[in-house]
């Protein structure tokens, strides 16, 4: 819709609304005024009815004509008021009708009264009855009128209130409509006009900036839409007559690009020409590579780079590096040239180029996933370009460039990918030339004599080696001893060269006579083999010695060849060579088994032998094993290895005797185990069977002492105490013996044991038992050992218990647990400053029931140290003691 | 525009509508049956309209009309327990008050002038004064008796100078035709029927001396005291009928006409003489005082002390519905 139409419609709508509301407001105001006027009339009627009632009463009472006239005059005004009532609402109309009817009645009643009163002669008193009747009649009428007039006034007042309320509503509506109009107008203007104008202005600005392709949106069908359309038409027209700025720029850009491309192509062509020219003039491949590198740097504006080749060792070798790179990464070679430090592992960015065979450039190489950084002092690489050198589809090297100002571009890649193949070609050609030159130089450089002769043996060429070795060769020609019989040899030479040995003086020469390809000439490659012949003679002697050793060695030796089935699985083996010891240990003679397979010789041989040897022969992995051969009824300790593919040798010894000894030992162990079990049963029986009578002895001794104390003299009581002590002692003895027995047989559970912790607990227990005793105990912290925790606890209980016991009578008892070193092993010790012992009896210490002190002085069973020794020995260690009488004792023990 | 403008306008409109709309009241309780002793007359127009329009039902009232010959008879029947309320003119109320009946007026439903003195033209009487000594048929105890007396007084006579014959209004034409009376005082529609039937042969004069009679709803004081809510609902229903009749006069007339089986010409003739407005006016009290004085003056009651008729008016129901229509001076 057009803006003008919108505007007109909006204004019309608003105008209609405004007029309607205004008219409504005016009409309402008019109605209010009219209602006000009517209300005033109603009030006047009520007042008039009241006044007429007064005047009527005045007239009735006095009958004077002026009262009559006054009533009539007032009634006329009253009637006029009633006549001027213009009721609106139906209820008002009803009331007005009532008022009008009542007015008529009022007049009728007054006329009736006038007739009555007037019939009385003037001056005579009007009868009371008449007065009362007239008053009542007038009162009824006037009161009715007053009521109706008041009611009408009330209705009119209600109407006025209602109209005023309506007026307020109309005013509110008017204000609301204004607000709505302004809001709607604002929104319409904003939505339909201002936005469109902004869109138009924006589009005009774009077009004004020269973009004649831009089109302003024409979504509205109004003046702005038309303006937009006009703009667009104008832009289109402008574009048809004038090339737009963008077209010109594009054309210029394309022209520049074409020129750039041409320049690039020229540079590439020139570079390729220069490379191939250099290829013709340079002396070395390195020079050519450096030239190529310079060309690459020149083309790409890179600051430095390198050319590298992948060597046979799989590493990258720099063959050219720009000056900057040399300074940082190169060292001088023997010739004084600065050379790369060596080969480089293929990794990093350049590695990625070599691995992928694709060009790669990175302008932020440090953030590239393949980046591995740079070595110390390496120039900072700000950007990187690597182009692979390909030959026959294979990556043979690369050209790497770095630090182009502003970073590398795709076109640098394009240029390099165009130039590098030329570099590769030039370098390959240079290499080929070098190789040819190199090959050509072989005879010249070869120190061995090389000759070329014709079919008659005439010498055509001799190399410096030949000239040096045989100075008279050219002079003597075919008569030279070197060429003796050469004609016969030549005749026999076909495609395969012939070899012969020729002796000249003491020297022997090996000659290889070969036909020169596509020629009737022959070339003779000669070398001095005198030393080799001598060596072979020496070797013959050596082999003899070896034979002797082979035959005389104590271990059996045999060389075999594995026999495989069609699937390549070992199924048999063949004897190739055996020594004398083999014959002795197997009972198989060399003659009988030579060339035969083991299954021929020993049909019942166990499959394990073939499988084991087959694995050795096929994998080359040696094995060492022991096995029993049923056919030979012998045990062998075998070492088998593979000296060559599908072959294996065995070195073996007869261990039948040892095996039998082991079996005997095993059997004895089994028997010993059974014996131990019997001993266990015995011990159990002893512990129970002996304890029962002991308990009886102790019990009855106590009973005698308690119940028959009065019947026993002191000596009898003392005997009984001896009996009790002896039974206690025997009980202790049984316990110790059982412990000793268990120590020997219990299963060992090895683990890391903190001896210091165990000792601390044991000392604490001892101190609890004798709380008043003062003993200085020194335990080296964190003494670690590896053994059975329970058994080691028993060791420490015995040793620390002994130390505690035997130092009990010292003034300042001192006990120490520590570790020292003896014969390179840890030796734990328990030291005390107790009574000590005489070292003369030291060997008795660890035997059961051996005691060096009287039981009365130091009680005990004599089992403790025996238990200690058994435990220590079970741990693979040793225990010993050092002491002097009165100076304490030190018990050492080691663990394996 | 729209959404914004509408959202601006709708609240305003809502405010406006809220200010102008009326909330229709409504009675939600059970229907209450009210038996009404009434003369079947057009004076009950508001009752008929309310019934026809369902206003009584809306207000929980089931109006059961019980026919009587006159308002006085209806009032007497109501007071004897034959109906809950009655419709009667103010004169029977005056008489019942003199009879010491505790009758209460709780609303005037019409003011009217429909009582006439009719005699035969060939009787020789030309004026009211000519009826002196004649037999005049009238329904005694009704307001027509008072109007007859008042008319005679205004013509220099009193009721003792005529012979009053008690004739029921429906029988007035027959009594006149049969010569049982020389004149009858009767009201519409019987007066109209006599006039239409006799035409010029009958002389008809207005009997109310240009004074409206008041057609009222009355009940015993006991009933009124116990049915204040009922009265208010009755008055409210009649107020609705009044409003309807004021705005739809033809429809209201049609309702009455069809109900009463009247002719349209009759309705058109009598309607201007009626005012169907609810009220309780002081003018009615003045009229009742006047009628009481008349009764005392004519020895129609032994009482000599003017009763306080305002005390026999219950105005709360009317005030609750149409307060501007009440102007009783107490």
């Amino acid at each position: 819709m057009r803006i003008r139409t919108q505007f007109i419609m909006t204004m019309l709508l608003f105008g209609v609304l405004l007029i309607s509301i205004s008219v409504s407001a005016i009409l309402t105001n008019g109605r209010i005024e009219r209602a006000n006027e009517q209300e005033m009339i109603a009030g006047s009627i009520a007042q008039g009815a009241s006044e007429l009632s007064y005047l009527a009463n005045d007239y009735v009472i006095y009958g004077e004509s002026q009262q009559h006239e006054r009533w009539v005059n007032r009634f006329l005004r009253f009637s006029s008021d009633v006549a001027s009532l213009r009721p609106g609402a139906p209820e008002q109309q009803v009331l007005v009708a009532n008022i009008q009817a009542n007015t008529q009645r009022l007049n009728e009643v007054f006329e009736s009264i006038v007739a009555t009163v007037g019939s009385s002669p003037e001056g005579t008193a009007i009868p009371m009855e008449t007065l009362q009747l007239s008053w009542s009649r007038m009162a009824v009428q006037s009161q009715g009128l007053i009521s109706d007039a008041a009611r009408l006034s009330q209705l009119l007042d209600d109407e006025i209130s209602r109209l005023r309320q309506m007026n307020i509503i109309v005013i509110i509506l008017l204000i609301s409509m204004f607000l709505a109009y302004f809001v709607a107008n604002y929104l319409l203007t904003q939505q339909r006009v201002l936005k469109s104008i902004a869109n138009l202005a924006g589009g005009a600005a774009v077009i004004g900036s020269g973009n004649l392709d831009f089109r302003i949106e024409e979504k509205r069908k109004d003046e702005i839409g038309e303006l937009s359309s006009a703009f667009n038409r104008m832009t289109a027209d402008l574009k048809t007559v004038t090339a737009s700025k963008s077209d010109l720029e594009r054309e210029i850009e394309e022209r520049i690009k074409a020129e750039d491309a041409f320049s690039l192509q020229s540079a590439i062509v020139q570079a390729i020409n220069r490379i191939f020219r250099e290829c013709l003039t340079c002396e070395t491949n390195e020079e050519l590579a450096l030239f190529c590198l310079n060309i690459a740097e020149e083309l790409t504006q890179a600051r430095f780079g390198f050319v590298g080749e992948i060597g046979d060792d799989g590493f990258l070798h720099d063959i050219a590096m720009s000056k900057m790179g040399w300074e940082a990464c190169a060292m001088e070679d023997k010739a004084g040239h600065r050379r790369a430090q060596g080969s480089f592992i293929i990794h990093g960015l350049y590695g990625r180029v070599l691995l992928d065979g694709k060009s790669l450039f990175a302008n932020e190489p440090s953030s590239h996933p393949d980046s591995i950084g740079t070595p110390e002092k390496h120039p900072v690489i700000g950007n990187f370009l690597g182009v692979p050198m390909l030959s026959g589809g294979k990556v043979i090297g690369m050209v790497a460039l770095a630090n182009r100002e502003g970073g590398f571009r795709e076109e640098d890649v394009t240029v390099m990918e165009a130039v590098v193949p030329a570099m590769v070609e030039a370098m390959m050609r240079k290499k080929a030339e070098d190789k040819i030159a190199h090959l050509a130089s072989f005879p010249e450089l070869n120190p061995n004599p090389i000759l070329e002769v014709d079919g008659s043996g005439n010498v055509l060429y001799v190399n410096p080696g030949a000239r040096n070795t045989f100075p008279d060769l050219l002079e003597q020609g075919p008569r030279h001893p070197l060429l003796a019989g050469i004609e016969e040899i030549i005749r026999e030479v076909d495609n395969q060269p012939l070899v012969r040995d020729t002796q000249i003086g003491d020297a022997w020469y090996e000659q290889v006579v070969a036909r020169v390809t596509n020629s009737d000439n022959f070339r003779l490659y000669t070398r001095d083999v005198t030393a080799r012949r001598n060596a072979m003679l020496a070797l013959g002697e050596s082999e003899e010695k070896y034979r002797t050793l082979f035959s005389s060695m104590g271990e059996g030796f045999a060389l075999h060849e594995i026999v495989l089935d069609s699937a390549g699985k070992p199924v048999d083996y063949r004897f190739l060579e055996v020594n004398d010891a083999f014959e002795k240990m197997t009972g198989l003679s060399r003659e009988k088994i030579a060339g035969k397979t083991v299954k021929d010789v020993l049909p019942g041989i166990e499959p394990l032998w073939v499988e084991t040897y087959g694995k050795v022969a096929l994998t080359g992995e040696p094995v060492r094993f022991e096995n029993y051969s049923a056919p030979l009824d012998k045990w062998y300790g075998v070492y088998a290895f593979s000296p060559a593919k599908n072959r294996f040798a065995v070195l073996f010894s007869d261990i039948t005797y040892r095996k039998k000894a082991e079996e005997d030992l095993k059997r004895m162990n089994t028997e010993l185990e059974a014996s131990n079990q019997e001993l266990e049963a015995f011990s159990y029986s002893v512990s129970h069977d002996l304890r029962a009578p002991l308990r009886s002895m102790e019990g009855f001794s106590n009973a005698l002492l308690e119940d028959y104390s009065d019947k026993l003299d002191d000596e009898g009581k003392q005997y009984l105490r001896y009996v009790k002590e002896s039974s206690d002692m025997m009980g202790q003895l049984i316990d110790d013996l059982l412990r000793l027995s268990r120590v020997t047989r219990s299963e060992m559970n090895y683990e890391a044991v903190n001896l210091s912790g165990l000792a601390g607990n044991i000392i604490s227990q001892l101190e609890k038992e004798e709380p008043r005793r003062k003993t200085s105990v020194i335990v080296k912290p964190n003494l670690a050992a590896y053994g059975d925790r329970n058994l080691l606890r028993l060791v420490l209980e015995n040793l620390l218990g002994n130390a505690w016991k035997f130092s009990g009578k010292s003034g300042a008892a001192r006990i120490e647990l520590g570790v020292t070193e003896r014969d390179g092993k840890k030796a734990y010790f328990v030291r005390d400053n107790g009574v000590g012992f005489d070292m003369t009896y030291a060997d008795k210490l660890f035997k059961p029931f051996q005691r060096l002190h009287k039981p009365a002085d130091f009680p005990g069973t004599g089992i403790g140290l025996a238990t200690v020794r058994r435990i220590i020995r079970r741990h693979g260690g040793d225990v010993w003691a050092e002491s002097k009488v009165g100076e304490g004792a030190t018990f050492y023990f080691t663990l394996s | 525009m729209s959404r914004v403008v509408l959202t601006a306008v709708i609240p305003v409109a809502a405010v406006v509508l809220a200010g102008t709309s009326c909330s229709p009241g409504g009675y939600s309780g059970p229907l209450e049956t009210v038996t009404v002793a009434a003369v079947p007359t057009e004076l009950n127009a508001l009752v008929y309209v309310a019934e026809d329009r369902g206003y009584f039902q809306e207000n929980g009232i089931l109006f059961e009309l019980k026919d009587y010959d006159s308002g006085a008879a209806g009032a007497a029947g109501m007071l004897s327990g034959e109906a809950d309320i009655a419709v009667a003119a103010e004169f029977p109320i005056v008489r019942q008050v003199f009879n010491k009946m505790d009758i209460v007026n709780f609303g005037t439903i019409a003011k009217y002038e429909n009582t006439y003195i009719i005699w035969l033209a060939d009787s020789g009487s030309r004026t009211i004064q000519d009826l002196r000594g004649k037999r005049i048929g009238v329904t005694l105890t009704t307001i027509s008796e008072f109007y007859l007396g008042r008319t005679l007084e205004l013509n220099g006579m009193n009721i003792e100078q005529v012979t009053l014959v008690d004739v029921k209004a429906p029988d007035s034409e027959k009594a006149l035709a049969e010569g049982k009376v020389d004149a009858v005082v009767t009201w519409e529609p019987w007066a109209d029927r006599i006039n239409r039937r006799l035409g010029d042969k009958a002389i008809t004069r207005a009997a109310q001396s240009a004074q409206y009679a008041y057609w009222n709803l009355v009940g015993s004081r006991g009933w009124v005291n116990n049915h204040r809510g009922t009265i208010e609902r009755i008055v409210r229903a009649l107020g609705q009928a009044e409003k309807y009749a004021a705005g739809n006069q033809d429809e209201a007339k049609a309702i009455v006409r069809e109900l009463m089986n009247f002719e349209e010409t009759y309705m058109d003739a009598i309607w201007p003489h009626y005012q169907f407005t609810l009220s309780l006016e002081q003018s009615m009290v003045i009229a009742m005082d006047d009628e009481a004085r008349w009764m005392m003056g004519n020895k129609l009651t032994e009482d000599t002390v003017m009763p306080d008729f305002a005390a026999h008016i219950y105005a709360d129901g009317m005030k609750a519905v149409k307060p501007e229509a009440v102007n009783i001076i107490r």
Side-chain angles (χ1 to χ4, degrees), chain A residues 158-172:
Chain A
D158 291 346
E159 185 182 352
I160 289 165
S161 299
R162 197 169 59 252
L163 288 170
R164 281 183 179 149
Q165 192 179 0
M166 194 180 295
N167 220 13
I168 290 168
I169 291 166
V170 168
I171 288 166
I172 290 170

Side-chain angles (χ1 to χ4, degrees), chain A residues 137-441:
Chain A
R137 294 178 67 194
M138 285 301 295
V140 169
Q141 295 302 330
S142 57
Q143 277 300 314
L145 271 170
I146 289 168
S147 293
D148 289 340
R151 206 172 303 149
L152 178 62
S153 178
Q154 181 68 44
L155 286 177
L156 289 166
D157 192 51
D158 291 346
E159 185 182 352
I160 289 165
S161 299
R162 197 169 59 252
L163 288 170
R164 281 183 179 149
Q165 192 179 0
M166 194 180 295
N167 220 13
I168 290 168
I169 291 166
V170 168
I171 288 166
I172 290 170
L173 266 178
L174 196 61
I175 293 168
S176 302
M177 294 308 293
F178 264 113
L179 285 174
Y181 170 74
F182 283 124
V183 170
N185 206 24
Y186 171 77
L187 290 174
L188 283 170
T189 306
Q190 170 73 16
Q191 183 69 29
R192 303 177 72 93
V193 180
L194 295 182
K195 278 190 180 176
S196 297
I197 288 172
N199 188 35
L200 180 61
V206 174
I207 293 169
S209 68
N211 184 356
L212 297 182
D213 292 327
F214 185 82
R215 290 291 177 271
I216 299 169
E217 198 176 7
E218 299 175 27
K219 61 181 181 182
R220 307 203 65 82
K221 296 191 180 303
D222 54 16
E223 289 84 341
I224 296 170
E226 289 172 359
L227 199 53
S228 302
S229 177
F231 257 100
N232 289 339
R233 282 199 304 276
M234 181 186 76
T235 307
D237 293 344
L238 199 58
K239 189 178 176 185
T240 56
V241 296
T242 309
S244 72
K245 185 182 175 185
S246 59
D247 286 345
L248 287 172
E249 285 175 351
R250 200 178 303 123
E251 192 176 331
I252 290 167
E253 193 178 336
E254 286 172 358
R255 196 168 291 173
I256 289 169
K257 278 184 182 173
E259 286 174 1
D260 288 347
F262 179 73
S263 299
L264 205 60
Q265 288 300 324
S266 295
I268 290 168
V269 170
Q270 284 178 14
I272 292 170
N273 284 335
R274 287 170 65 192
I275 289 166
F276 282 121
R277 269 203 309 274
E278 183 66 17
C279 178
L280 297 173
T281 58
C282 70
E283 292 187 355
T284 66
N285 199 38
E286 284 77 7
E287 277 182 30
L288 177 60
L290 186 58
F291 183 80
C292 290
L293 179 59
N294 291 335
I295 292 286
E297 289 172 349
E298 195 179 302
L299 285 172
T300 61
Q301 300 298 308
R303 290 195 62 203
F304 60 89
F306 70 82
V307 177
E309 283 185 323
I310 299 174
D312 295 335
D313 55 5
F315 291 95
L316 177 70
H317 299 275
D318 288 328
I319 54 174
M321 187 174 283
S322 53
K323 188 180 176 187
M324 191 173 177
W326 281 114
E327 286 174 353
C329 306
M331 55 186 290
E332 289 183 353
D333 63 8
K334 289 178 182 177
H337 297 122
R338 296 184 71 84
R339 295 294 304 269
Q341 287 181 351
S343 51
F344 296 94
I345 300 169
I346 294 175
H347 63 173
L349 281 174
Y350 66 88
R352 176 52 53 201
V353 175
L354 293 167
L355 290 171
D356 292 349
K358 291 178 182 174
S359 301
L360 165 69
F361 76 90
N363 287 327
E364 289 184 4
S366 59
S367 60
H368 194 279
D370 288 309
S371 174
I372 55 170
T374 53
E376 194 176 357
K377 294 183 181 177
H378 191 284
V380 174
I381 296 180
N383 45 55
F384 170 84
L385 168 61
V387 182
M389 295 165 63
L390 302 170
S391 176
K394 183 182 173 188
V395 179
I396 62 167
M398 68 178 291
V399 178
L401 299 164
N403 288 16
R404 182 188 188 278
E405 191 172 352
F408 288 103
R409 306 157 301 171
E410 285 290 349
E411 59 193 71
D412 294 325
V413 177
T414 306
V415 169
M416 286 306 296
E417 286 182 344
V419 172
V420 166
M423 291 179 178
V424 172
E425 181 63 29
M427 290 167 73
M428 295 290 282
R429 188 179 297 177
K430 183 65 185 168
K431 275 189 175 179
E433 287 173 358
D434 287 350
K435 193 171 181 181
I436 291 167
H438 181 63
L439 288 171
S441 70

